[in-house]
Amino acid sequence: AQTVTQSQPEMSVQEAETVTLSCTYDTSESDYYLFWYKQPPSRQMILVIRQEAYKQQNATENRFSVNFQKAAKSFSLKISDSQLGDAAMYFCAYRRNTGNQFYFGTGTSLTVIP
Amino acid sequence: DAGVIQSPRHEVTEMGQEVTLRCKPISGHDYLFWYRQTMMRGLELLIYFNNNVPIDDSGMPEDRFSAKMPNASFSTLKIQPSEPRDSAVYFCASTHYYRGTGELFFGEGSRLTVL
């Protein structure tokens, strides 16, 4: 069964600094998607970044980038130049292509210190 | 393009009452998911539909919970009778299997409080 593990329940970062959130997953499939979602206090789930497993290049979206290590089944999120608005719960998610099922990690709560 | 629309945003009810949560997925999406989020259990998948047909309801906690999708633009999640332990945020999400970028689009959630 697919599982997604976020081993850091809480993280903190100074404003303008860089922080990396960890995510590992377990799968026997070769084709899948990985996502990072952000959930601010408003509770809306917002897509931050996505990665397709067949693409070797790491995805980037402005200040957000990932380090995708397929062999190690690792998918970490790097936030550069952290801003107060980045404070939120971050969820790592895996989507299998067969059956279109999604699996979520338990989340990492990020605090940004002014 | 409108996103996933859920109603109500907040619901406070008393134990034993029936609760109905509603969801309108994004037009053209063929998959619809219902999730429950609590501090203790995190984000739990309750049930998901493909082309209005329930595919996996193994996450539905017990017979008090039921979900329907009578057409491609509407789904309900019903709890009858409700209990205090059902208090949570319930999310509806939709996606299209082949088109788009593969991610789930979430509604704003319905916060349920059962007294």
Side-chain angles (χ1 to χ4, degrees):
Chain A
Q2 282 80 7
T3 57
V4 178
T5 302
Q6 293 180 249
S7 58
Q8 306 153 315
E10 297 179 346
M11 292 281 284
S12 62
V13 62
Q14 290 285 145
E15 195 175 2
E17 296 296 308
T18 296
V19 65
T20 298
L21 308 184
S22 301
C23 173
T24 59
Y25 57 95
D26 183 30
T27 184
S28 57
E29 302 189 352
S30 60
D31 192 17
Y32 47 87
Y33 291 86
L34 295 163
F35 308 93
W36 279 97
Y37 282 87
K38 170 185 176 181
Q39 187 180 37
S42 66
R43 82 171 182 246
Q44 176 72 53
M45 292 283 278
I46 303 163
L47 178 70
V48 175
I49 200 165
R50 65 188 289 274
Q51 176 80 42
E52 295 164 73
Y54 69 87
K55 290 187 177 179
Q56 293 185 338
Q57 187 173 8
N58 289 325
T60 62
E61 287 288 342
N62 301 314
R63 296 182 296 107
F64 298 86
S65 62
V66 298
N67 183 4
F68 173 47
Q69 302 287 330
K70 191 172 184 180
K73 298 178 184 176
S74 170
F75 184 61
S76 60
L77 174 69
K78 185 171 84 170
I79 306 174
S80 303
D81 185 26
S82 297
Q83 301 175 359
L84 294 178
D86 295 333
M89 183 73 83
Y90 286 82
F91 292 94
C92 179
Y94 165 100
R95 184 202 125 171
R96 57 183 297 189
N97 267 354
T98 53
N100 201 28
Q101 289 169 299
F102 289 77
Y103 301 86
F104 285 83
T106 51
T108 296
S109 178
L110 178 67
T111 299
V112 180
I113 303 166
Chain B
D1 196 13
V4 176
I5 300 171
Q6 289 187 247
S7 65
R9 286 219 66 198
H10 303 275
E11 174 93 8
V12 180
T13 190
E14 294 194 345
M15 183 174 65
Q17 297 297 305
E18 178 180 293
V19 173
T20 299
L21 308 178
R22 298 172 177 81
C23 175
K24 177 179 168 57
I26 292 173
S27 177
H29 282 187
D30 57 351
Y31 276 81
L32 183 140
F33 299 75
W34 281 101
Y35 287 90
R36 177 171 71 175
Q37 186 177 35
T38 61
M39 289 293 292
M40 291 296 293
R41 292 200 180 94
L43 204 57
E44 300 175 274
L45 175 65
L46 299 177
I47 185 171
Y48 75 97
F49 297 82
N50 175 219
N51 290 325
N52 316 336
V53 176
I55 301 301
D56 184 355
D57 65 355
S58 60
M60 296 285 263
E62 48 200 275
D63 292 346
R64 298 185 296 105
F65 286 69
S66 62
K68 294 182 180 180
M69 192 165 185
N71 57 62
S73 59
F74 185 66
S75 177
T76 60
L77 178 67
K78 187 174 293 186
I79 308 172
Q80 166 64 20
S82 58
E83 296 183 3
R85 59 192 167 123
D86 302 331
S87 297
V89 178
Y90 291 81
F91 285 100
C92 176
S94 70
T95 188
H96 195 285
Y97 187 44
Y98 291 110
R99 294 200 308 263
T101 50
E103 73 267 29
L104 271 179
F105 293 82
F106 284 83
E108 293 182 315
S110 295
R111 179 178 293 280
L112 172 65
T113 302
V114 183
L115 303 174

